Amino acid sequence: MSFHTEEFFAELMLPFAHSTVVGNTYYATPIPGSPLRLCIGFTPTIYADTYGGLRAAVVHADRGEIDAVALNFIAHGTFHRRDEARNTRWNDSQYGTFRARHHQTSTPPWEGAVTTGLRDAIEQYSTVWFPGSWPAPPLPRTAASTPHPVPAPADPPSRRRS
C-alpha cells in the first residue's frame, strides 16, 4: 500500500535533479554519469506495516550495494513533537514510528513529522559518497561584511539656535 511516499521525499527537499520514487523507495543519481546511485527506503520495525526510520544505501551499477546507513526516526527527532502532543511514551510500539496499514484518510500516516534531522543526516552521508552533489551552504553574514553608514550625531538641545 502506498503511504504518500512521494510527498514524504518531497518534504525532505533533497537536491538531486536526477531522482525518482518507485513504490516506497527514493532513487537518485547525485552525480550524472557516475555508476553510483543513492537509494533511500523505509525501514520496518518488528510490528507489521510500521516503519521506524530510513535506510540510505549507495549502490554501484555493476557491483551492487557498497554501503548503507540506518537513519532512525527517534535519533533524528522526526516524531518527537507529534509523540509529545499525543503523550506517547518511549516504550509504546508507536513511539517514533508510523503505521501504513489501514490508513483510510487522505492525510499521510507520517503527518507531524519534522524532517530536518533526517535531511541533515542524508546530507552528511551524501557528501561522503557524492562530493559536490549537495549545494554549498550560504556564507554566514557578519557585521564586518555589511558596512552601514554611521549617522551624524544630532546637535544637543543646548547648541540649537532659536
Side-chain angles (χ1 to χ4, degrees):
M1 171 190 287
S2 174
F3 45 85
H4 306 267
T5 306
E6 288 184 13
E7 292 174 28
F8 183 88
F9 287 111
E11 193 169 309
L12 277 174
M13 296 186 300
L14 301 175
F16 310 120
H18 303 284
S19 64
T20 190
V21 174
V22 178
N24 292 328
T25 306
Y26 174 88
Y27 297 93
T29 306
I31 301 175
S34 169
L36 296 179
R37 309 288 186 261
L38 178 64
C39 175
I40 304 172
F42 293 92
T43 56
T45 66
I46 62 172
Y47 301 99
D49 298 318
T50 303
Y51 299 90
L54 297 176
R55 181 179 187 273
V58 175
V59 180
H60 189 279
D62 297 326
R63 298 183 192 125
E65 187 173 294
I66 295 175
D67 188 63
V69 64
L71 306 172
N72 187 299
F73 290 148
I74 294 173
H76 294 91
T78 308
F79 293 108
H80 180 74
R81 288 185 194 162
R82 180 204 67 184
D83 291 343
E84 290 236 332
R86 291 179 179 175
N87 202 24
T88 306
R89 302 287 180 220
W90 67 269
N91 57 350
D92 185 334
S93 66
Q94 294 183 20
Y95 182 79
T97 66
F98 73 85
R99 288 189 71 163
R101 193 171 84 184
H102 304 300
H103 192 73
Q104 302 299 322
T105 66
S106 62
T107 60
W110 44 266
E111 186 173 39
V114 176
T115 58
T116 308
L118 287 173
R119 186 176 194 278
D120 291 346
I122 293 169
E123 176 183 3
Q124 289 176 332
Y125 185 71
S126 298
T127 55
V128 170
W129 287 99
F130 309 101
S133 65
W134 207 272
L139 296 173
R141 295 188 64 171
T142 62
S145 65
T146 54
H148 296 282
V150 178
D155 286 340
S158 62
R159 298 186 73 192
R160 289 186 188 157
R161 292 186 185 178
S162 338

